């Protein structure tokens, strides 16, 4: 079972919910931070014995002695990673999306396999024995989905080998990284807050993820801060309200110190244990359908 924790914007408490859900999950689980541009799940789960492995994308390298400047590769590439300028073929590896089409289409074999470093995939285990995976994008790297693809491969392999459920802390927003993170999920949890901005971005997230046909539910963070328009939206769209986290000073202080909310008091522990049970039931219904 794969649960993705997403949000229409940053700062709603997505990572807070992810960390508490991981700590409340009854079955063996793998925690995955796919917010590779700004990973911070580790600040709460505090994995130990962390190892890091560089991840690479296959990109073309030009052998000028073989190139006949036919322009076939430049015409094929929709991302302008190759450009024929007069009698010179220019290669821009930072623009390459790694499809490999240019190398296959070159009649002279002038484009060879090279690589560009995307970032790293980190592995670790929490003090409580929960395995963790984290993607960390290289500074200056413009594209996160290729690194997320490497992270997904590792995630699926480890989960299958160890019979683990998966909880994904997805990137915020509704762009390509967020869509990449939720595509494998059985259930998507949308974390929001009861404010005009929270409602606006919840609408965006619902509209973006709805075509995927996955069950979705909502967690309201900072409940009591704003108004009831998020509740009305959930009722209107048939989105189950899975949990509400109250707007309290002690919660903010605990979070700021890197604490897991489910461990703050019995009430919050019960909230997240109930959330975990509801998500397990939703996932089971999907897998049995």
């Amino acid at each position: 079972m794969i649960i993705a924790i997403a949000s229409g914007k940053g700062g709603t408490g997505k990572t807070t919910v992810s960390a508490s859900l991981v700590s409340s999950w009854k079955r063996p689980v793998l925690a995955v931070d796919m917010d590779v541009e700004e990973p911070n799940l580790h600040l709460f789960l505090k994995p130990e014995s962390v190892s890091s492995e560089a991840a690479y994308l296959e990109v073309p390298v030009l052998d000028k002695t073989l190139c006949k400047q036919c322009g076939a590769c430049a015409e094929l590439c929709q991302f302008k990673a190759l450009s024929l300028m007069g009698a010179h073929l220019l290669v821009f590896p930072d623009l390459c999306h790694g499809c490999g089409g240019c190398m296959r289409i070159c009649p002279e074999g002038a484009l060879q396999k090279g690589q560009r470093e995307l970032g790293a995939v980190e592995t670790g285990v929490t003090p409580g024995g929960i395995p963790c995976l984290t993607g960390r994008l290289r500074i200056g790297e413009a594209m996160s989905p290729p690194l997320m693809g490497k992270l997904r491969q590792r995630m699926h392999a480890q989960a299958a080998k160890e019979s683990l459920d998966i909880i994904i802390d997805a990137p915020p927003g509704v762009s390509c990284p967020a869509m990449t993170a939720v595509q494998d999920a059985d259930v998507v949890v949308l974390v929001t807050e009861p404010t005009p901005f929270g409602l606006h971005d919840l609408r965006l997230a619902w509209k973006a993820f709805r075509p995927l046909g996955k069950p979705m539910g909502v967690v309201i963070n900072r409940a009591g801060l704003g108004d009831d328009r998020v509740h009305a939206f959930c009722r209107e769209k048939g989105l189950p309200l899975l949990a509400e986290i109250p707007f309290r000073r002690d919660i903010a202080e605990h979070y700021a110190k890197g604490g897991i909310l489910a461990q703050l008091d019995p009430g919050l522990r019960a909230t997240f244990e109930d959330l975990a049970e509801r998500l397990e039931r939703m996932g089971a219904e999907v897998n049995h359908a």
Side-chain angles (χ1 to χ4, degrees):
M1 182 184 303
I2 303 177
I3 308 295
I5 314 300
S7 62
K9 71 180 186 69
T12 61
K14 173 178 54 61
T15 300
T16 300
V17 171
S18 299
S20 286
L21 192 58
V22 167
S23 70
S24 304
W25 205 256
K26 300 303 183 183
R27 299 201 299 259
V29 67
L30 172 64
V32 182
D33 193 342
M34 281 204 186
D35 188 2
V36 299
E37 295 183 44
E38 292 288 345
N40 58 4
L41 186 59
H42 65 284
L43 298 177
F44 299 92
L45 298 183
K46 300 175 178 59
E48 302 170 339
S49 303
V50 176
S51 62
S52 179
E53 180 181 341
Y56 299 91
L57 181 70
E58 189 176 276
V59 298
V61 174
L62 177 64
D63 185 339
K64 294 182 179 180
T65 64
L66 297 177
C67 180
K68 303 298 184 183
Q69 296 85 40
C70 69
C73 58
E75 184 178 353
L76 174 72
C77 184
Q78 300 298 303
F79 303 103
K80 307 304 179 183
L82 302 109
S83 180
L84 187 61
M85 306 290 288
H88 300 281
L89 179 67
L90 303 180
V91 181
F92 303 98
D94 285 340
L95 299 180
C96 180
H97 282 54
C99 73
C102 58
M103 290 177 272
R104 289 190 287 271
I105 202 173
C106 179
E108 309 298 332
L111 294 171
Q112 307 297 320
K113 293 180 180 180
Q115 61 183 19
R116 178 179 90 231
E117 184 176 350
L118 296 168
V121 175
E122 300 176 352
T123 62
V125 180
T126 72
I130 298 172
C132 302
L133 289 176
T134 301
R136 196 175 296 277
L137 197 67
R138 174 180 61 86
I139 295 175
E141 173 59 47
M143 295 185 294
S144 57
L147 175 59
M148 295 171 68
K150 304 291 185 182
L151 184 59
R152 287 173 57 226
Q153 292 176 7
R154 180 72 63 84
M155 172 186 82
H156 286 298
Q158 184 169 349
K161 181 179 179 181
E162 302 177 25
S163 299
L164 302 172
D165 290 335
I166 301 171
I167 294 176
I168 297 172
D169 184 9
V174 295
S175 61
C176 289
M179 300 301 290
T180 300
V182 306
Q183 63 181 300
D184 297 320
D186 296 305
V187 180
V188 178
V189 178
L190 302 177
V191 182
T192 188
E193 56 192 14
T195 64
F197 287 117
L199 176 60
H200 175 268
D201 292 298
L202 174 62
R203 290 182 186 273
L204 293 180
W206 174 77
K207 290 176 67 175
F209 299 141
R210 182 179 57 165
L212 298 176
K214 300 178 182 296
M216 289 186 284
V218 173
V219 171
I220 298 179
N221 189 24
R222 305 183 186 97
L225 172 64
D227 51 41
D228 63 352
R229 284 183 288 178
V230 168
H231 295 81
F233 176 78
C234 291
R235 290 193 297 270
E236 175 189 346
K237 303 303 180 184
L239 284 169
L241 181 55
L242 301 174
E244 294 188 66
I245 303 168
F247 181 53
R248 291 183 353 215
R249 181 183 180 89
D250 62 329
I251 288 178
E253 291 176 345
H254 190 69
Y255 164 84
K257 296 175 182 177
I260 295 175
L261 292 195
Q263 300 172 356
L264 177 59
D265 62 43
L268 287 169
R269 184 181 307 116
T271 294
F272 284 102
E273 287 177 351
D274 180 67
L275 174 61
E277 291 174 1
R278 295 189 67 176
L279 290 172
E280 286 182 15
R281 290 196 297 270
M282 291 175 68
E285 290 173 1
V286 171
N287 292 325
H288 291 155

